[in-house]
């Protein structure tokens, strides 16, 4: 064998060896990939079997809360919005974004708008207008939020009535020291008038308000004709006290579960509580709210049964609209349209017209659908645009539900109020009767009985028809008239002594008026005899003061957000009233009018 042939044989052997090695390598790789592929198949099979079990444990994939609540017919998520307000207060850099989200989740919550107004306000024109706009939106939101409206109405009402009682108490207390000597003088001159004083004894036993009003009636006999208006107002307050007390008890009563559930459903905040709290109730508000909650939760047949139970006894257009929505949800479109039209025969409503427009478009009757839609926007453009903005192919988002207005919920709250406060041992009828007797007696005593005691405007001495002549010019007694106006027949020393006495009394009176003007506004007016004018001024001031003091106690229940926005304007008005009253009193003192 030659060297050349030997070389080719060796080269061929190397090639065969390499080929065998490559074949082994490729077979190994193929086996590895086969194993990996088999392993992947096993893993896939494991997850295919296990994932459903995990899904059952972990629950469905999380949905957007906002969309989920809209699908249930709910547009207010107040707990979440309150949490966002707290978070915005702790994080000023992101406050505006957080509050914008809070408004989205609860468009009927005044607290969100007030907080947005606070952070938006600045001294620039844009900041002023933006803050003012949010403030106005917050005030408007009271009309759509039952608990906030009840809270501020209760605050205003109780502040108004309690401030009036305080004014009556102050008038009685201040004028007692001035006018009671006149009454004592009359009793000394005529013993029969002591019977008038004795009439206060049974009145005081009836209750404190009766005693205050009775005292003002006695003192009012010596008021001027204009100031007697305060007496009539006090008796009128006593006459209306049973009605006013009933309203007060409404605001102070704890809300029943039925009321809370009904409000939550009709203000689109919750359905679940109504399903348990209102089940088995027979009144209109509970049945209506229960049916609406059933419909929103998808129990359409039960909702239809509830609404049909309402219709025969209390035909209401709102019931027919919601009945139509239930029939649409079970695909009975003809019945739904009939109920909408029946509702419109009783009373036009935006919801009925809007729902008819939606149904008409489904039937490809776009002309009729447009006509109905225009009618709906004429009745309530804001509600239609707000609902249409979130419209979706869902029974709770495709058609508008009717809800109960606030005045119906107010009447429902009134029917469930508790008697927490009682100001008298007498019932309402006896209270009204006593008030009528008081006002008649006061009128008769004021117009028919003559010869009451009076005071000289200069020396402050008490006179009557028996012990002195009538008041002369300037409402002066005879001696003051001779000393100050007519000098004939009077010794100069007596006249000078009288002048000094009058001057000392007037100086003392003006000093007291100046001191009183530094306390509550126009207390000095009441002391000086301007009782009606002073009472009206004082009532305004005390109303604002009590409003501020009671505001923290009138929160909405869900949180401790109260009507704090009232504090600044109330304080500003109080300062204005205080300074105006001080200026007026001092000017009148300087001119000798007080």
């Amino acid at each position: 064998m030659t060297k050349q042939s030997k070389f080719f044989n060796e080269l061929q052997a190397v090639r065969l060896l390499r080929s065998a090695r490559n074949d082994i390598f490729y077979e190994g790789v193929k086996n590895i990939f086969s194993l990996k592929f088999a392993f992947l198949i096993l893993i896939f099979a494991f997850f295919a079997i296990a994932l459903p079990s995990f899904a059952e444990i972990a629950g469905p994939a999380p949905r957007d809360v906002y969309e989920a609540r809209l699908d249930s017919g709910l547009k207010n998520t107040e707990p979440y919005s309150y949490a966002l307000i707290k978070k915005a207060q702790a994080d000023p850099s992101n406050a505006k974004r957080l509050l914008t989200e809070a408004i989205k989740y609860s468009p009927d919550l005044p607290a969100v708008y007030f907080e947005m107004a606070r952070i938006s306000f600045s001294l620039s024109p844009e900041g002023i207008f933006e803050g003012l706009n949010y403030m106005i939106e917050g005030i408007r939101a009271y009309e759509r939020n039952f608990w906030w409206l009840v809270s501020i109405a209760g605050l205003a009402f109780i502040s108004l009535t309690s401030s009036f009682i305080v004014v009556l108490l102050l008038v009685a207390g201040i004028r007692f020291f001035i006018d009671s000597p006149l009454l004592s003088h009359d009793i000394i001159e005529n013993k029969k008038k002591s019977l008038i004083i004795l009439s206060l004894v049974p009145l005081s036993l009836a209750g404190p308000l009766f005693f205050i009003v009775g005292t003002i009636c006695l003192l009012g006999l010596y008021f001027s004709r204009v100031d007697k208006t305060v007496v009539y107002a006090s008796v009128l307050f006593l006459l209306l006290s049973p009605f006013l007390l009933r309203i007060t008890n409404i605001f102070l009563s704890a809300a029943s579960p039925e009321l809370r559930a009904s409000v939550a459903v009709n203000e689109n905040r919750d359905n679940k509580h109504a399903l348990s709290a209102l089940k088995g109730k027979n009144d209109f508000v509970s049945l209506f709210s229960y049916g609406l909650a059933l419909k929103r939760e998808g129990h359409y047949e039960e909702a239809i049964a509830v609404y049909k139970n309402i219709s025969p006894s209390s035909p209401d257009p709102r019931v027919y609209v919601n009945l139509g929505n239930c029939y649409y949800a079970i695909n009975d479109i003809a019945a739904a349209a009939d109920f909408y039209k029946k509702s419109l025969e009783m009373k036009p409503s935006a919801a009925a017209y809007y729902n008819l427009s939606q149904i008409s478009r489904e039937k490809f009757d776009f002309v009729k659908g447009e006509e109905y839609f225009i009618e709906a926007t004429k009745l309530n453009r804001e509600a239609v645009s707000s609902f249409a903005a979130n419209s979706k192919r869902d029974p709770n988002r495709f058609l508008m539900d009717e809800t109960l207005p606030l005045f119906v919920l107010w009447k429902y709250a009134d029917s469930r109020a508790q008697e927490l406060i009682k100001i008298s041992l007498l019932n309402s009828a006896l209270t009204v009767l006593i008030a009528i007797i008081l006002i008649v007696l006061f009128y008769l005593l004021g117009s028919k009985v003559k010869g009451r005691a009076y005071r000289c405007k200069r020396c402050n001495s008490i006179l009557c028809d028996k012990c002195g002549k009538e008041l002369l010019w300037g409402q002066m007694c005879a001696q003051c008239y001779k000393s100050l106006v007519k000098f004939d027949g009077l010794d100069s020393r007596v006249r000078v002594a009288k002048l000094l006495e009058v001057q000392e009394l007037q100086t003392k009176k003006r000093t007291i008026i100046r001191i009183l003007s530094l306390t509550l506004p126009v207390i000095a007016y009441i002391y000086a005899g301007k009782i009606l004018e002073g009472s009206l001024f004082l009532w305004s001031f005390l109303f604002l003061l009590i409003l501020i003091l009671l505001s923290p106690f009138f929160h909405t229940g869900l949180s401790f957000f109260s009507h704090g926005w009232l504090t600044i304007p109330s304080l500003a008005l109080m300062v204005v009233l205080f300074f105006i009253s001080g200026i007026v009193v001092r000017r009148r003192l300087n001119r000798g009018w007080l």
Side-chain angles (χ1 to χ4, degrees):
M1 178 179 290
T2 64
K3 291 181 178 180
Q4 188 175 4
S5 60
K6 186 178 179 181
F7 173 77
F8 279 112
N9 290 334
E10 290 178 355
L11 181 63
Q12 186 68 25
V14 169
R15 285 177 176 173
L16 290 172
L17 183 63
R18 285 181 178 176
S19 175
R21 189 177 63 184
N22 288 337
D23 289 342
I24 294 170
F25 174 76
Y26 287 128
E27 283 295 326
V29 169
K30 187 185 296 184
N31 290 335
I32 290 172
F33 275 106
S34 299
L35 288 172
K36 285 185 177 180
F37 184 71
F39 181 69
L40 289 174
I41 291 176
L42 286 173
I43 291 175
F44 179 78
F46 171 76
F47 277 103
I49 296 170
L51 274 179
S53 301
F54 289 148
E56 291 177 4
I57 297 171
R63 299 177 59 196
D64 182 72
V65 176
Y66 178 71
E67 291 294 325
R69 286 182 65 80
L70 286 179
D71 290 345
S72 297
L74 307 174
K75 67 173 184 177
N76 288 295
T77 313
E78 290 189 359
Y80 181 59
S81 295
Y82 280 122
L84 289 174
I85 294 174
K86 289 290 188 183
K87 192 174 180 181
Q89 291 172 346
D91 186 9
S93 59
N94 293 318
K96 206 153 194 175
R97 178 184 62 80
L98 292 169
L99 292 176
T100 302
E101 185 179 0
I103 291 175
K104 172 186 173 183
Y105 276 86
S106 296
D108 299 337
L109 182 62
V112 186
Y113 296 101
F114 293 141
E115 188 64 23
M116 184 68 93
R118 186 184 67 81
I119 68 164
S120 301
F121 181 81
S122 65
L123 296 179
S124 64
E126 295 82 5
I128 292 173
F129 282 111
E130 187 177 6
L132 185 62
N133 180 58
Y134 279 118
M135 182 63 70
I136 293 171
E137 286 298 322
I139 294 172
R140 290 182 61 194
Y142 276 100
E143 302 175 359
R144 308 188 298 271
N145 195 304
F146 179 81
W147 296 118
W148 276 77
L149 185 60
V150 167
S151 178
I152 196 170
L155 173 62
F157 181 82
I158 293 174
S159 300
L160 200 65
T161 52
S162 57
S163 60
F164 186 78
I165 294 173
V166 174
V167 168
L168 295 181
L169 191 59
L170 288 172
V171 169
I174 294 169
R175 296 306 303 180
F176 178 80
F177 297 100
I178 300 168
D179 296 324
S180 60
L182 299 174
L183 183 59
S184 300
H185 184 88
D186 280 338
I187 291 172
I188 292 170
E189 295 294 334
N190 186 354
K191 304 298 183 184
K192 293 181 180 179
K193 291 184 179 180
S194 59
L195 295 174
I196 302 175
I197 297 292
L198 294 175
S199 65
L200 278 179
V201 176
L203 280 177
S204 62
L205 294 175
L209 185 59
F210 289 85
F211 180 75
I212 294 171
V213 174
T215 303
I216 290 179
C217 286
L218 287 178
L219 300 176
L221 295 172
Y222 304 95
F223 291 177
S224 67
R225 182 174 296 180
V226 175
D227 293 332
K228 282 182 169 62
T229 307
V230 176
V231 182
Y232 291 117
S234 66
V235 178
L236 180 63
F237 184 82
L238 181 64
L239 181 70
L240 297 176
S241 60
F243 172 71
L244 300 176
L245 190 62
R246 181 181 176 185
I247 296 176
T248 303
N249 284 325
I250 293 174
F251 293 126
L252 297 180
S253 296
S256 63
E258 295 82 8
L259 176 61
R260 289 191 175 277
S262 299
V263 171
V265 171
N266 287 282
E267 290 191 345
N268 311 309
R269 287 193 276 114
D270 182 63
N271 297 323
K272 303 291 186 183
H273 183 46
L275 296 180
S276 58
L278 301 180
K279 188 174 183 180
K281 306 299 178 182
N282 294 320
D283 58 276
F284 172 75
V285 173
S286 297
L287 286 171
F288 183 93
S289 305
Y290 182 57
L292 183 56
L294 287 170
K295 178 260 175 186
R296 286 174 174 171
E297 291 298 313
H299 308 296
Y300 304 117
E301 298 290 349
E302 294 178 54
I304 290 171
V306 170
Y307 280 129
K308 284 189 172 180
N309 192 29
I310 300 174
S311 301
S313 58
S314 306
D316 191 290
R318 294 180 291 258
V319 173
Y320 290 133
V321 171
N322 290 353
L323 255 177
N325 294 347
C326 293
Y327 276 105
Y328 175 85
I330 60 174
N331 294 319
D332 193 344
I333 298 177
D338 289 340
F339 279 112
Y340 297 145
K341 291 174 182 176
K342 187 180 291 187
S343 170
L344 291 174
E345 290 174 3
M346 298 177 67
K347 183 181 178 181
S349 71
Y353 277 121
Y354 179 83
N355 295 344
L356 280 172
S357 73
Q358 293 289 79
I359 289 178
S360 299
R361 290 188 177 106
E362 280 210 337
K363 295 178 180 178
F364 301 103
D365 189 351
F366 297 106
V367 176
K368 207 68 176 172
E370 186 67 19
E371 289 178 6
Y372 287 134
F373 186 82
I374 291 171
E375 291 297 323
T377 55
K378 286 180 181 178
L379 291 171
N380 196 335
R381 180 181 297 274
E382 186 177 353
V384 170
S385 60
S386 174
F387 187 83
N390 294 307
S391 182
K392 186 181 175 182
R393 294 295 303 180
D394 184 276
N396 291 324
R397 297 175 66 173
F398 187 68
L399 301 173
M400 288 179 68
D401 289 323
E402 280 281 18
T403 56
L404 296 176
L406 284 180
F407 76 88
V408 175
L409 297 174
W410 273 87
K411 291 173 68 175
Y412 186 64
D414 180 23
S415 66
R416 296 179 174 272
Q418 304 166 0
E419 189 176 4
L420 301 175
I421 299 177
K422 192 175 181 65
I423 61 172
S424 171
L425 299 175
L426 308 178
N427 57 28
S428 300
L430 283 175
T431 300
V432 172
L433 180 61
I434 289 175
I436 293 173
I437 293 172
L438 270 177
I439 204 165
V440 170
L441 284 176
F442 178 76
Y443 174 76
L444 293 175
L445 287 171
S447 59
K448 303 299 182 183
V449 179
K450 304 296 182 183
R452 287 189 300 274
Y454 54 85
R455 284 184 184 274
C456 173
K457 292 297 182 182
R458 297 297 177 179
C459 67
N460 217 28
S461 59
I462 299 175
L463 301 170
C464 66
D465 291 343
K466 288 186 177 181
C467 60
K469 296 180 180 179
E470 294 182 355
L471 288 172
L472 302 175
W473 180 85
Q475 295 183 324
M476 292 183 286
C477 65
Q479 192 172 5
C480 288
Y481 181 75
K482 291 177 181 179
S483 301
L484 301 173
V485 180
K486 187 178 180 181
F487 304 139
D488 298 340
L490 189 66
D491 185 70
S492 60
R493 288 176 296 180
V494 176
R495 186 170 66 84
V496 170
K498 191 66 177 179
L499 287 173
L500 290 174
E501 180 188 351
V502 169
Q503 185 179 4
E504 184 180 353
L505 286 170
Q506 293 298 324
T507 302
K508 182 180 178 181
K509 179 182 177 183
R510 286 171 180 165
T511 303
I512 294 173
I513 289 174
R514 283 192 177 93
I515 294 171
L516 289 176
S517 67
L518 297 175
T519 56
L520 291 174
V522 296
I523 283 284
Y525 256 40
I526 298 173
Y527 174 81
K530 307 288 185 181
I531 301 169
L532 177 61
E533 190 175 349
S535 297
L536 291 175
F537 219 98
L538 184 60
W539 189 15
S540 304
F541 184 86
L542 289 175
F543 166 70
L544 296 171
L545 177 61
I546 295 176
L547 194 74
I548 295 172
L549 295 176
L550 294 182
S551 179
F553 300 99
F554 282 82
H555 52 78
T556 59
L558 182 62
S559 75
F560 286 96
F561 284 86
S562 61
H563 314 281
W565 63 274
L566 289 169
T567 303
I568 294 177
S570 298
L571 281 174
L573 286 173
M574 286 173 64
V575 171
V576 170
L577 289 172
F578 186 82
F579 278 106
I580 288 176
S581 67
I583 292 169
V584 170
V585 168
R586 281 168 177 75
R587 286 187 66 185
R588 296 196 173 189
L589 275 175
N590 295 334
R591 296 183 181 185
W593 294 349
L594 289 178

